[in-house]
């Protein structure tokens, strides 16, 4: 197998992970979660999103989180539109993420706009934001399958990515939002992305809905990808994608990478401790494989 010697995990638990939680967590606990994850060694982290609290109430305290929770390295906030971007800039953010769904129907359900209209509004924002010197990532949701439209054509995803790269994005985060992608499909799309966009960071984002998260990460690794969005505890899901379960669990991915001698600079033990710290505030127990095993060992020691 051709595998990279190093890989970067971008921790998305504080944003993408928590946004779908029914329990509204206190800001202090979110900040502690960010602090604990930073202590595990993360240099890139999604920490908040400036979205309407009416639609995503968990993110209503984004300004406070940004002010007090910036992690070591790159702290990324999600900004869906010009208003969100303005709030992020006012809060002093230096790294922002814009997003679209590769599926037109998903885009309508998510941000109430057709895909073409979303791109027309986002591309000028990306250009002007880049002129300010910010780090910009573009998140492409439902890049493989859509819960409403089914299979998404590779060519359609590539076209969206070309527009983003031309506008000046630094990072393309390409997501299997509903966890339906298969390893051969993952290898095919990411091989094309790595081949065409050699000067752009390529990040793979997987959900574990059908238990294929790790298999798809391995396929992406073999395609040359060395950046992955993961969520501590496997937290997450998408409120606008029926059936989508949590993100690939950071601790499960980290265990696999460490076992394959792929360097990450992260502490598995500290990630697990961060998961333990947040679990009591969630609406359901953490069910990632490594966390369950770790808890069993902790109980046996006691």
């Amino acid at each position: 197998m051709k595998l990279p010697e190093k890989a970067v995990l971008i921790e998305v638990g504080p944003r993408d992970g928590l946004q779908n939680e029914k329990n509204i967590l206190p800001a202090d606990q979110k900040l502690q979660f960010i602090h604990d994850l930073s202590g595990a060694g993360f240099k890139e982290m999604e920490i908040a999103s400036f979205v309407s609290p009416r639609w995503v109430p968990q993110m209503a305290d984004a300004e406070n989180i940004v002010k007090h929770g910036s992690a070591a390295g790159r702290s990324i906030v999600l900004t869906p539109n010009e208003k969100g971007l303005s709030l992020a800039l006012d809060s002093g953010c230096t790294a922002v993420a814009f997003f679209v769904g590769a599926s037109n129907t998903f885009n309508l359900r998510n941000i109430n706009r057709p895909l073409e209209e979303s791109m027309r509004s986002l591309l000028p924002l990306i250009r002007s934001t880049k002129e300010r010197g910010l780090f910009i990532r573009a998140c492409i949701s439902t890049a493989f399958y859509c819960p409403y439209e089914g299979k998404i054509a590779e060519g359609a995803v590539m076209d969206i990515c070309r527009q983003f790269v031309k506008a000046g994005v630094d990072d393309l985060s390409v997501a299997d939002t509903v966890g339906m992608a298969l390893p051969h499909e993952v290898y095919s799309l990411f091989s094309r992305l790595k081949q065409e966009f050699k000067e752009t960071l390529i990040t793979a984002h997987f959900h574990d809905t059908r238990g294929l998260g790790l298999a798809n990460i391995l396929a992406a690794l073999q395609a040359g990808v060395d950046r992955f969005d993961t969520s501590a505890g496997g937290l997450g899901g998408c409120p606008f994608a029926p059936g989508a379960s949590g993100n690939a669990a950071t601790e499960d991915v980290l265990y696999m990478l460490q076992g394959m001698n792929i360097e990450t600079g992260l502490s598995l033990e500290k990630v697990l401790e961060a998961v333990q710290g947040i679990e009591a505030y969630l609406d359901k127990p953490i069910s990632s494989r490594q966390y369950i095993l770790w808890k069993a060992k902790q109980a046996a020691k006691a």
Side-chain angles (χ1 to χ4, degrees), residues 124-139:
L125 282 181
I126 289 170
R127 295 186 189 101
S128 62
T129 305
K130 194 61 192 170
E131 289 174 358
R132 294 171 174 262
L134 274 71
F135 177 90
I136 301 174
R137 83 179 335 211
C139 303

Side-chain angles (χ1 to χ4, degrees), residues 145-159:
Y145 289 87
C146 167
Y148 312 105
E149 295 183 12
K151 184 78 173 78
I152 302 299
E154 269 191 15
V157 178
M158 294 298 295
D159 182 60

Side-chain angles (χ1 to χ4, degrees), residues 9-180:
L9 298 188
I10 298 94
E11 176 56 54
V12 301
R15 198 282 299 176
D16 193 18
L18 294 181
Q19 71 173 5
N20 210 37
E21 284 295 314
K22 294 178 182 178
N23 294 342
I24 303 300
L25 278 69
D28 286 351
Q29 190 55 45
K30 293 179 186 177
L31 292 169
Q32 185 62 51
F33 190 37
I34 292 169
H35 175 78
D36 291 345
L37 290 167
S38 182
F42 287 97
K43 302 303 181 187
E44 293 188 59
M45 198 182 307
E46 281 190 3
I47 63 170
S49 59
F50 285 91
V51 294
S52 169
R54 176 185 174 190
W55 298 112
V56 189
Q58 191 72 253
M59 296 289 113
D61 55 2
E63 184 177 358
N64 185 25
I65 298 301
V66 169
K67 183 178 179 180
H68 300 287
S70 292
R74 183 177 294 137
S75 296
I76 304 168
V77 299
L78 194 70
T79 55
N81 49 37
E82 190 170 4
K83 181 179 179 180
L85 176 61
S86 178
L87 292 170
L89 293 173
D90 289 344
S91 298
C93 296
T94 59
V96 297
F98 299 96
F99 65 92
V100 296
S103 150
N104 192 60
T105 306
F106 179 81
N107 216 61
L108 283 166
R109 296 291 185 100
N110 195 359
I111 54 178
N112 201 32
R113 280 184 173 183
L115 173 58
E116 187 176 343
E117 183 181 329
S118 289
M119 294 300 289
R120 280 201 307 267
S121 65
L122 285 181
L123 295 176
L125 282 181
I126 289 170
R127 295 186 189 101
S128 62
T129 305
K130 194 61 192 170
E131 289 174 358
R132 294 171 174 262
L134 274 71
F135 177 90
I136 301 174
R137 83 179 335 211
C139 303
I140 300 94
S141 302
T142 58
F144 294 91
Y145 289 87
C146 167
Y148 312 105
E149 295 183 12
K151 184 78 173 78
I152 302 299
E154 269 191 15
V157 178
M158 294 298 295
D159 182 60
I160 293 169
C161 291
R162 288 186 192 105
Q163 294 180 63
F164 278 137
V165 170
K166 187 176 180 180
V169 303
D170 301 287
D171 181 20
L172 292 169
S173 174
V174 180
D176 176 28
T177 307
V178 291
M180 291 178 67

